[in-house]
Amino acid sequence: SSHKCMFLTNGAPFERELNRRYLICVFLPRVDKDRSGVISDSELQQALSNGTWTPFNPVTVRSIISMFDRENKGGVNFNEFAGVWKYITDWQNIFRNYDRDNSGFIDKNELKQALTGFGYRLSDQFYCTLIEKFDRQRKGQVAFDDFIQCCIVLQRLTDVFRRYDTDQDGWIQVSYEQYLSMVFNIV
Ligand SMILES: [Ca+2]
Ligand SMILES: [Ca+2]
């Protein structure tokens, strides 16, 4: 019927608008505990769950907030929060997709499949290093929040490397001070 057609044409924007209203009118006032109009690190951390009983990684929370906090105010306003929310739900879908056995954790093989899917070419030994570094719960695999952090850090390090690897052969030669600048870009 024509009614159905109208819904199909207008459905997506309508849903988006509904989501936006839900976010601003219902969800955000609940998250913004001190009613400052800004979602701080600790407010976002409390709102997030990584599907386990372990508190969401505060380093991941900080990384995400700083990506969307345009005025360096130490949090995100309600407009910026829409970006934060999309970012997290996108990661949630990626995580679910690569958590093949539905364990709620990404093991070494799942991590390998995920990162290979993103275009990384890394050795088996390096996947062990990654698991060891980001396995905050000491389970031999990584939870949702730590998986995001792993991907963010890897991306940052790769971006910095690429800036120096101008001929893209996978090798760089850097001086001591260039090395320090590289590291300062990340820490
Ligand atoms: Ca607040
Ligand atoms: Ca798994």
Side-chain angles (χ1 to χ4, degrees):
S1 68
S2 62
H3 182 75
K4 207 172 185 179
C5 279
M6 246 174 71
F7 181 76
L8 283 176
T9 330
N10 303 329
F14 176 71
E15 242 169 64
R16 258 205 300 277
E17 177 63 16
L18 203 69
N19 280 337
R20 202 181 67 88
R21 279 198 196 176
Y22 173 80
L23 213 65
I24 290 172
C25 301
V26 181
F27 185 75
L28 280 172
R30 244 185 268 156
V31 176
D32 184 20
K33 293 256 156 61
D34 65 356
R35 293 163 187 268
S36 63
V38 171
I39 310 294
S40 67
D41 289 18
S42 64
E43 286 169 341
L44 180 62
Q45 195 202 11
Q46 282 173 51
L48 288 172
S49 153
N50 63 8
T52 70
W53 295 107
T54 316
F56 207 88
N57 189 339
V59 183
T60 313
V61 173
R62 182 87 289 269
S63 302
I64 297 172
I65 292 270
S66 65
M67 263 179 238
F68 292 90
D69 174 13
R70 287 194 197 92
E71 296 118 346
N72 218 4
K73 53 193 169 305
V76 287
N77 61 31
F78 286 11
N79 273 329
E80 292 165 339
F81 187 81
V84 169
W85 202 243
K86 188 183 180 307
Y87 183 81
I88 292 167
T89 44
D90 284 350
W91 274 115
Q92 216 161 29
N93 291 332
I94 292 168
F95 185 88
R96 285 201 190 118
N97 192 26
Y98 285 104
D99 178 19
R100 296 277 151 89
D101 62 353
N102 264 324
S103 64
F105 288 90
I106 295 281
D107 64 24
K108 194 185 132 194
N109 278 326
E110 291 166 341
L111 187 66
K112 188 177 178 177
Q113 286 186 31
L115 296 184
T116 305
F118 301 160
Y120 291 103
R121 295 293 172 265
L122 305 163
S123 68
D124 264 9
Q125 200 196 329
F126 194 74
Y127 281 105
C128 294
T129 307
L130 280 177
I131 293 279
E132 218 170 281
K133 163 87 182 157
F134 293 97
D135 171 21
R136 209 167 43 103
Q137 300 187 35
R138 298 280 150 244
K139 284 180 186 285
Q141 40 194 349
V142 289
F144 176 56
D145 50 352
D146 302 323
F147 173 69
I148 299 179
Q149 190 56 27
C150 172
C151 296
I152 290 175
V153 170
L154 207 54
Q155 178 71 55
R156 278 192 203 147
L157 289 164
T158 305
D159 285 348
V160 174
F161 185 90
R162 283 215 180 113
R163 234 175 285 153
Y164 286 87
D165 186 21
T166 46
D167 61 356
Q168 291 180 28
D169 69 346
W171 292 89
I172 57 171
Q173 190 171 31
V174 289
S175 70
Y176 174 56
E177 281 196 5
Q178 280 175 324
Y179 165 75
L180 291 180
S181 315
M182 285 176 85
V183 175
F184 287 161
N185 266 311
I186 299 143
V187 294

